[in-house]
Amino acid sequence: GENVEQHPSTLSVQEGDSAVIKCTYSDSASNYFPWYKQELGKRPQLIIDIRSNVGEKKDQRIAVTLNKTAKHFSLHITETQPEDSAVYFCAASITGSARQLTFGSGTQLTVLP
Amino acid sequence: NAGVTQTPKFQVLKTGQSMTLQCAQDMNHNSMYWYRQDPGMGLRLIYYSASEGTTDKGEVPNGYNVSRLNKREFSLRLESAAPSQTSVYFCASSQSRGQGKTEAFFGQGTRLTVV
């Protein structure tokens, strides 16, 4: 089955700096890669996603990039703010599979004021 | 529109006790899931259900059973709780939303402690 590895497990950045979280996946059939954000004590929520026919996607201060050949994808957050502090999970999915989403182990991002 | 609702929010069990975590979704989703979340381990799939009447094991099914009662409800049962089952449990549902995309909607979580 699919295996998703996520790095780093913890990341601290100064407010205003950029943050990058990286994931690799094992199953070349995976073609959908969402990112979830979980604020302290809350449920995970989808923040951005990318399909394998797209190399990059941006939404305001966040962007995702995908390298299908290398089987890795990354989340980029620019101009970080304290409210970006959370745990971020990457995931991979084979579209149409009942199992659908395999999650990475999560990255605790802390934005220091 | 409540989304995914799971109960209880907190629970303390003694080793060997049993309990059922309840989950219901009102989004008419076919697929439902139970995950556990442990520090440094991320979200690990316990069981999932692709549709009403079907269930299948995920990554960490041992010690758990599930029931997909109908399209809305998917319960998780611990028959004989063990301290290793201390965790935060999330129920989720998902639906493919076209263009090859799938979004999972999570419940608010159940913090379970087994002593």
Side-chain angles (χ1 to χ4, degrees), chain A residues 8-108:
Chain A
S9 57
T10 60
L11 178 61
S12 294
V13 299
Q14 291 293 135
E15 183 176 355
D17 286 351
S18 296
V20 180
I21 302 169
K22 299 181 179 181
C23 290
T24 60
Y25 61 99
S26 61
D27 194 334
S28 56
S30 290
N31 57 13
Y32 173 62
F33 308 93
W35 286 86
Y36 285 76
K37 176 183 180 181
Q38 185 182 25
E39 296 176 358
L40 186 63
K42 298 191 176 180
R43 69 192 77 189
Q45 291 188 297
L46 178 70
I47 55 171
I48 194 167
D49 54 13
I50 192 168
R51 284 208 63 211
S52 59
N53 58 348
V54 175
E56 183 176 0
K57 181 178 178 180
K58 287 185 179 179
D59 182 2
Q60 299 183 335
R61 294 187 298 106
I62 60 174
V64 290
T65 58
L66 170 66
N67 183 326
K68 272 201 77 177
T69 303
K71 289 191 283 188
H72 67 71
F73 57 112
S74 300
L75 177 71
H76 304 253
I77 307 174
T78 59
E79 301 173 21
T80 53
Q81 300 170 4
E83 53 264 37
D84 295 328
S85 295
V87 177
Y88 293 81
F89 294 98
C90 63
S93 168
I94 301 171
T95 307
S97 164
R99 187 179 287 250
Q100 295 191 354
L101 292 171
T102 301
F103 286 89
S105 55
T107 296
Q108 172 68 63

Side-chain angles (χ1 to χ4, degrees), chain B residues 5 9 21 29 35 38 48 50 52-53 58 67 76 81 90 101:
Chain B
T5 304
K9 287 187 179 181
L21 280 64
H29 290 166
Y35 293 93
D38 302 292
Y48 70 100
E52 181 180 352
S67 295
L76 178 72
F90 284 98
K101 297 185 178 183

